Amino acid sequence: MIYFDNAATYRNDNEDVLLVYTDANKKYFANANSSHRLGYLVNQEVNKARLSILKDLKLDDSYEVIFNSGATEGINHALKGYALRNRTRGNEIIAFKNEHPAVNETLLNLSKLGFKIIYIDPDKNGEFNYAQLKSAINSQTIMVVAMSVNNEIGSTNNLNKIYEITKGYPKCVFFSDVTQSIAKINLDYHILDMFTFSSHKFGGLIGSGALIKKKKILLAKLIDGGAQENNLRAGTVSAPLAISTSYALHKMVKNLDVNLKHVLKLKDCLIEGLKNNPEIIINSKHDFPYIVNFSLKSKKASVVIEALSNKEIYVSSLSACHAKSNVVSSNLLNIGLDKKLAENSVRVSFSEINTIDEVKTFLKELNNILGAIR
């Protein structure tokens, strides 16, 4: 099997992550909010996980970690929570047009509640248009939303440039979805007021993640109930998921540079094999090596992906969150591709356990399939 769909769910040698989870499930099964000694011990372990995450991301105690089910929940909590709690400060939100569906759908709902959403276009490479942000931001802007790395084409936004623009507006917070980039490339997290991620994008377990924010930022509570997570997210925190998330993140951050160097070689090998094929247009024009997106000029991507799957080679088209909705990639349309090319895109996404031999096998089988399709 060759698995090249790591942007959907990351695959690595995570037996140790599972062991950490199962061990924590046996030891720390009590409710972290219970008043007895075992509950206190579980709470201590959860807080150790929070501190470990902040340390790995080089953040101090001015930030807090809110454990949740993943980035979609974190995005909803950050965007709705801040907008609803702070709507007296202004009603404008500026957002990158090429965001994940979780952001776009949340912003659509906020627009129905009276918030003005201003979208920033991507350039031809899929990168945030910083000049547009300078023109759009004003005293009524309460939030700027920009992902660090796009989940379909891997385009990378310069978060430092966005920060330099937003920092002159004290009522405005800067939020980023760092789901694809966390523990894969180096980021200055301290420039962000809020950010979120899913653990299964770096080898953690599905159904876990976190929203990290500056403590001084006030959010509306979206899930009513108890006072868990500093009274920001009701519901019993899963100590095993929190502990395994912390462990998986630490493991990836520790090996970030080694992994990045290896995956760069995979990307270079793939690009070299694709660039001279007259059937293929490479859409990823960037330095983020974990995602490579290309379009087929005359063949159907769905047919090619199915044929590869039959050979146990797994790639994707679109985001996994859109893959079954029969929509054309807005990300690709927004960078200037026509509908046919946008419909027939293929995404290859790596992890550190992929190999050069797998890339070569993929290229060989892809060429065979393209040659066989009429």
Side-chain angles (χ1 to χ4, degrees), residues 12 16 183-184 248-262 290 352:
N12 62 8
D16 51 345
K184 296 175 188 172
L249 181 64
H250 178 73
K251 176 184 172 183
M252 282 288 287
V253 169
K254 183 174 67 173
N255 296 305
L256 186 151
D257 291 331
V258 173
N259 292 343
L260 186 60
K261 185 177 180 180
H262 172 67
Y290 283 85
E352 75 280 358

Side-chain angles (χ1 to χ4, degrees), residues 279-280 295-300 340-341 344 373-374:
E279 171 64 24
I280 290 171
S295 289
L296 305 174
K297 291 182 181 179
S298 62
K299 316 294 185 184
K300 278 191 168 290
K340 184 177 179 181
L341 288 175
N344 293 297
I373 297 173
R374 293 183 178 180

Side-chain angles (χ1 to χ4, degrees), residues 7 20 27 35 52 60 213 219 254 273 292 298 327 365:
V20 167
K27 289 181 180 177
S35 56
S52 175
D60 58 26
K213 72 173 189 69
L219 301 179
K254 183 174 67 173
V292 175
S298 62
V327 298
E365 296 296 345

Side-chain angles (χ1 to χ4, degrees), residues 3 5-12 14 69-72 100 149-152 177-184 196-209 245 248-249 252 288 290-291 316 318-321 347 349-352:
Y3 182 77
D5 195 22
N6 292 279
T9 295
Y10 203 74
R11 180 173 183 254
N12 62 8
N14 66 350
S69 63
T72 293
H100 189 276
V149 170
N150 183 269
N151 52 297
E152 282 187 41
D177 170 12
V178 301
T179 300
Q180 291 297 337
S181 59
I182 190 167
K184 296 175 188 172
T196 193
F197 62 82
S198 293
S199 305
H200 70 277
K201 303 295 187 179
F202 53 76
L205 301 182
I206 294 174
S208 59
T245 290
L249 181 64
M252 282 288 287
F288 184 74
Y290 283 85
I291 298 174
S316 64
L318 291 174
S319 158
C321 297
R347 182 183 70 179
S349 50
F350 299 118
S351 88
E352 75 280 358

